Structure formats: structure tokens, C-alpha cells
Amino acid sequence: YEVIVVDSSPDDRVASVVNALIPEAPFTLRLLTKKPEGPGPSRNLGAAHARAEFIALMDSDCVATPDWLTGGLAAFDDGVGIVQGRTLPEPDVPTGVFTRYIVVEEENHVYECANIFYRTSAFRDVGGFDAAYDGEADVPVGGEDVELAWRVKRAGWQSRFSAEALVYHEVQPLNMRGWIYIRTLHLWPGLTKRCPELRAAFFARYFFDRHQAWILLALIALVCAWWAPYALTLTIPYAISRGMEPTRALRGPLRLIRVCVYVLRDVTSLAILTVASVRSRCLLL
């Protein structure tokens, strides 16, 4: 196998590390450099130089386990164009509410490039990642990995999941602002417009998750309560939805604290999705 590192860093620190490894690496190791344009163009550059039948993609905040490559390749069969691997938070690092990491334990609709394999011909036949995704835009953009996977599937290729292709994702700390304001939500209405297949993965097809449906119902109930106080009963589904989630810290009546804390986050998420839906002319709340 070969390893291709695509570097768009502003300095030569990555290049110096890779160049030092090249003479002693037990595989072909190549370094490609380019200007920063976001992950899609960088991955396209690496894929353009790939010489094998399959391309394995991983992000820079991930670490592969020893059997990652063999596990992913073993899942390919005739007609299979995509293999999604298993992704877990890095072991021995505490996780909690104010941390960010990826967990993928079965095939999902996102097909994150943190851990994904493509048949090279399938990747190239659909043109690779869309270069229109600009990583330097003011509004958060991304999702080129989602769109690519669905273009490959539309072209007739099948997808598989490999639990043996395991990658550990870095556990990154989140501050309060980052926890409340989920920037990536800006992406989803536009992605849904380009990939209508995503609706099958959403709650009732038009809500990002069940919490968004219940918080909208609760807000409507609060408005209606001015005229009909019994409308407040419609806030119960949201309270149950958030209050009954598994938690390591809060038990019994203390779960109400969780509901109160999550209200601000869920209302903010609803606002983000509403603005993004208007901008993309595609409803997803």
C-alpha cells in the first residue's frame, strides 16, 4: 500500500516530519502540498495521485488501529463502491458533554471522511469531491463527504460497513459557546436539498432530530398558553425527550436541570436550521 499526505499548512512542520519518515517507511510515502482550500480539494489531489484499486481516507485528527486497512479492504466485493469504517473516541481520554468526537458503530447517512474507503474507479467516475465547497467561507460549509457518498450510491454502487476497520477520533474540548452554537447545523438544509435521500434519516423527514420537533412544539405551546393555558401540556414531550436521556451525573428529579440547560441549546439549533432552511430554500428544522 501507499500513504499520501496532503499538506496545506502555513509552515513546513508537517513537511519536515513526513520527509524525515520517507527513507525509513516500510511503504511508499509521498507528500503533496497545496494552498488551503478546505478538505475536499486536498483529498481530490491525493486521490488523483493514488495508484491502487482502493482509496482509504482518514482525517488528521484520527489514528488508525493496526487492522484498519485490512479490515476495510476485506469488506469490498463486486459492486461495492464504499466501505464505511468504525470510529470511536480515542481510548483512555475522558468524554463528556463539553467534548467533541465522532462515534460511528454502524453504517450511517453521513459517511464521514474520518474513516471511509472508496473503490478508486467509483470515486473518479463521479468526479470526486465537489470543489465548490470552500473551506474559507464566512458561513460554515462542508459536507462534501456526505454529497460524494450519495453521488456514488446514485451511480449504482453499493455500500458496506466494517467494524474491523477501526479508527480512533481525537476527543476535543468544547467551551460553552461551542456547545450551544453548533456551527455545522448550517450545512444540513442545503445538503438535504442536494441529497434528498438524507430525509429518510431525519425525524419525521423534516426535523434534524426528535429534540428539534419537540422544542418547536413546546415553543408553539408557550405562545398558545396566553389564550389556552392547557396548551402547556404540549411541552411535556420535550421535557420527557431531554429528561429521560442517559446521563452519568444527574439522577431522579435532578434530570430537570438537564432539561433547563438544553433548552437554550435546542432553541439556538432551531434558529440556525430555520435561517439555513430559508437560505437554501429547503425545509429542515
Side-chain angles (χ1 to χ4, degrees), residues 160-232:
R160 293 286 186 274
F161 181 80
S162 172
E164 291 73 28
L166 174 61
V167 155
Y168 290 120
H169 190 278
E170 180 185 4
V171 177
Q172 303 163 347
L174 276 178
N175 57 27
M176 178 64 76
R177 183 183 182 279
W179 181 77
I180 293 173
Y181 186 82
I182 307 173
R183 298 175 76 247
T184 54
L185 289 177
H186 283 280
L187 308 173
W188 286 100
L191 275 173
T192 304
K193 184 176 183 178
R194 294 186 289 274
C195 304
E197 300 94 337
L198 292 172
R199 289 215 180 267
F202 297 135
F203 184 79
R205 295 180 61 85
Y206 286 91
F207 294 95
F208 187 75
D209 56 30
R210 69 183 190 279
H211 304 305
Q212 293 304 112
W214 301 143
I215 193 64
L216 178 59
L217 181 63
L219 292 174
I220 293 172
L222 290 174
V223 173
C224 294
W226 287 100
W227 301 277
Y230 59 82
L232 288 175

Side-chain angles (χ1 to χ4, degrees), residues 10-179:
D11 53 49
D12 63 353
R13 287 184 295 173
V14 172
S16 62
V17 171
V18 176
N19 287 329
L21 290 171
I22 288 176
E24 59 189 61
F27 46 78
T28 300
L29 175 60
R30 286 186 285 165
L31 173 70
L32 305 175
T33 58
K34 64 183 296 299
K35 66 178 183 178
E37 299 171 292
S42 294
R43 293 170 181 143
N44 282 341
L45 177 63
H49 286 79
R51 296 174 292 190
E53 184 180 358
F54 303 101
I55 299 170
L57 296 165
M58 191 175 66
D59 284 340
S60 58
D61 55 2
C62 297
V63 176
T65 57
D67 294 328
W68 171 64
L69 194 58
T70 53
L73 296 179
F76 278 98
D77 202 348
D78 290 342
V80 176
I82 307 172
V83 170
Q84 186 176 27
R86 185 182 182 208
T87 304
L88 298 174
E90 54 185 330
D92 304 322
V93 177
T95 59
V97 173
F98 293 107
T99 55
R100 178 193 173 274
Y101 52 90
I102 293 176
V103 175
V104 179
E105 298 202 74
E106 60 184 10
E107 185 174 350
N108 64 31
H109 59 288
V110 182
Y111 298 104
E112 298 97 333
C113 272
N115 184 5
I116 200 82
F117 298 74
Y118 281 95
R119 189 181 296 273
T120 306
S121 58
F123 182 96
R124 290 175 177 165
D125 286 349
V126 301
F129 295 98
D130 189 342
Y133 289 89
D134 180 6
E136 297 181 323
D138 292 334
V139 177
V141 294
E144 66 282 341
D145 44 2
V146 183
E147 188 179 35
L148 171 62
W150 285 103
R151 280 193 280 121
V152 170
K153 288 166 75 75
R154 279 188 215 127
W157 293 98
Q158 300 174 41
S159 55
R160 293 286 186 274
F161 181 80
S162 172
E164 291 73 28
L166 174 61
V167 155
Y168 290 120
H169 190 278
E170 180 185 4
V171 177
Q172 303 163 347
L174 276 178
N175 57 27
M176 178 64 76
R177 183 183 182 279
W179 181 77

